[in-house]
Structures are given as C-alpha cells and as structure tokens.
Amino acid sequence: MIVVITISNLLHSGKIIHRRMNKVRLKLAVFALLLLQGCISYKHPTSAFINHGQPTANESYRTIREVAAASPLYSAIPRDRKQIRWFDAPHWLAWTFFGNENDGIFGEELNPPYSNMPSFKSFLAWWTRNPMANFCLYVIGSGDWKTHHSFSILQSDSAGTRILKSEKSPSVFGTGSSAIIIAFNDFKPYLSFKFPLGKYHQTDFYLGWRPRGHFGLKFRPYLKTSK
C-alpha cells in the first residue's frame, strides 16, 4: 500500500511539474513575440474590432471586451488578420499560433465572456482550452470558406445509416446516443464516434476537420451525460 501511494504521489507531482513547465514555455514564447514585434505598427487598432465577432448589447459584456482590447497582449497578438501588414512576420506568427480571431485571446467575444477579468492567466487558460485556434481554423482549416461541404463515406446514427452521401446538415457526432461518422468535410478527412457507458455516461472521440472547417482532436472516455 505504501509503495502504491508513493508511486501515485510521484505521478501526480510529475503532472503538476509538466503543467507548470508548459505554462513557462508559453510565457517565454509570448515574451519573445513581444520583443520581436518591435516597432511595426498595425494597420488598424485593436479597438476597431471590439464587439464585431459575436455582437452583444449587454453593457457588462461590452465593457469586458473593451478592457480586453486595451491589454498589452494585443500589441503582440493581433486581434484580427486585417491588422497585419504583409511583411510583418512576427505578428503573423503570433496571430497563427496564439491568436483567436473568432472569440478573442481571452474568450471575451463569447456570450457570456470566458472570463470577467482579461489577464495573462485567463489568456493561458483560454489558449490551453483552444490551442492554436487560428492555425487549426484558418491556416490548415477552412473556417473562412463561404460554403462548406460534407460527404459521408459512412454515417450511422439514430437517423439511419448513410453511405456515400452528401450531408446537408452535418454534425460533429451525429444524432442519438450511438453514432459513427467517416466523412470528408471540405474535402478533408474526419472520423468520430460515440457510444453510451451505462445510463449516465458515454465515450466520444473525433479526429480531423469538423463540418465548419476546424481541425481538431478530442477524446472523452467517460463523459457524464444529462440523462
């Protein structure tokens, strides 16, 4: 029993150290980008992009977005690619790997915002939850396509089984409690499945380009459901 507890404690300590090291690396990377961006100015100020992604009339939400836009982090990480000059490599790199054009680097464009206090801590938390959002959605993804295409090689869910069929309303996991999808979304491969584990839990997994063009990977082996 003592040996088991000791090993468990060592593994737990190792996970904590690994998480801390990842945060340190991310801080160093952002600091390096702050140095690299130098004197190259934006074409448009960050304030021009407040409340443009998911508009809201809620005054408290707008205030959070205004506070976020004033953060020094946005001088290193562009809010929108329209701000970046074509020759500005440091800002392009920052936008690619640390930016989040849809929701903001603090998740401030969500309704409600991800955090009420935009800060480096909330940036780290949001980036960890949505790493390299612009890279996955716009660089290798097709998030800015005007029209998306989904073609099922095989899709089986509560609505039936479809083989070699275009999907008018594609989804990430399909309908019902059990489903499998093998498809091409915007001509790129996608695989997902889910199945129940007892009455109140399920397993789900996806890998590839989702229906709206975002590349992603997720595996939840024991997810609690609302049933």
Side-chain angles (χ1 to χ4, degrees):
M1 178 63 72
I2 295 175
V3 173
V4 172
I5 293 173
T6 302
I7 293 173
S8 177
N9 289 340
L10 286 172
L11 289 173
H12 180 67
S13 299
K15 289 179 180 179
I16 292 174
I17 293 171
H18 180 69
R19 285 197 295 266
R20 288 178 178 173
M21 288 299 295
N22 284 340
K23 288 183 178 180
V24 169
R25 292 190 190 102
L26 185 56
K27 287 180 180 180
L28 290 173
V30 173
F31 179 70
L33 287 168
L34 280 167
L35 294 177
L36 284 171
Q37 62 93 19
C39 299
I40 303 176
S41 61
Y42 288 142
K43 291 192 290 184
H44 309 286
T46 301
S47 58
F49 299 91
I50 296 174
N51 207 43
H52 85 296
Q54 302 180 53
T56 180
N58 186 301
E59 285 300 319
S60 63
Y61 294 175
R62 287 179 64 92
T63 299
I64 291 171
R65 294 176 182 187
E66 290 169 2
V67 171
S71 169
L73 278 176
Y74 270 128
S75 66
I77 306 171
R79 176 66 183 84
D80 192 284
R81 77 192 89 170
K82 298 183 184 71
Q83 295 177 270
I84 314 172
R85 302 179 190 279
W86 67 268
F87 55 84
D88 187 356
H91 277 133
W92 278 115
L93 288 172
W95 176 88
T96 298
F97 295 109
F98 297 102
N100 190 316
E101 197 162 294
N102 279 14
D103 305 317
I105 63 173
F106 306 102
E108 72 270 16
E109 282 285 329
L110 297 175
N111 291 316
Y114 176 70
S115 171
N116 293 329
M117 293 292 291
S119 63
F120 197 84
K121 182 178 180 180
S122 58
F123 160 71
L124 287 176
W126 183 240
W127 188 90
T128 302
R129 185 172 177 177
N130 300 274
M132 298 189 293
N134 287 342
F135 177 77
C136 293
L137 186 56
Y138 299 115
V139 178
I140 64 171
S142 49
D144 50 1
W145 287 21
K146 292 182 179 179
T147 303
H148 296 279
H149 309 274
S150 182
F151 183 79
S152 292
I153 304 300
L154 168 67
Q155 179 163 336
S156 182
D157 56 20
S158 62
T161 298
R162 283 90 73 197
I163 298 175
L164 302 178
K165 183 178 180 182
S166 294
E167 297 289 336
K168 294 182 179 180
S169 300
S171 65
V172 174
F173 286 113
T175 61
S177 58
S178 299
I180 181 170
I181 300 174
I182 302 173
F184 283 93
N185 293 323
D186 291 341
F187 312 106
K188 295 180 284 291
Y190 179 73
L191 166 68
S192 77
F193 62 78
K194 64 177 178 179
F195 54 85
L197 291 174
K199 190 175 181 180
Y200 298 107
H201 294 86
Q202 72 175 36
T203 288
D204 60 37
F205 167 87
Y206 72 75
L207 171 64
W209 283 264
R210 297 185 310 216
R212 303 301 296 178
H214 194 295
F215 175 82
L217 165 65
K218 179 175 286 188
F219 177 48
R220 298 179 290 190
Y222 200 62
L223 176 67
K224 187 174 181 180
T225 64
S226 59
K227 293 180 181 180

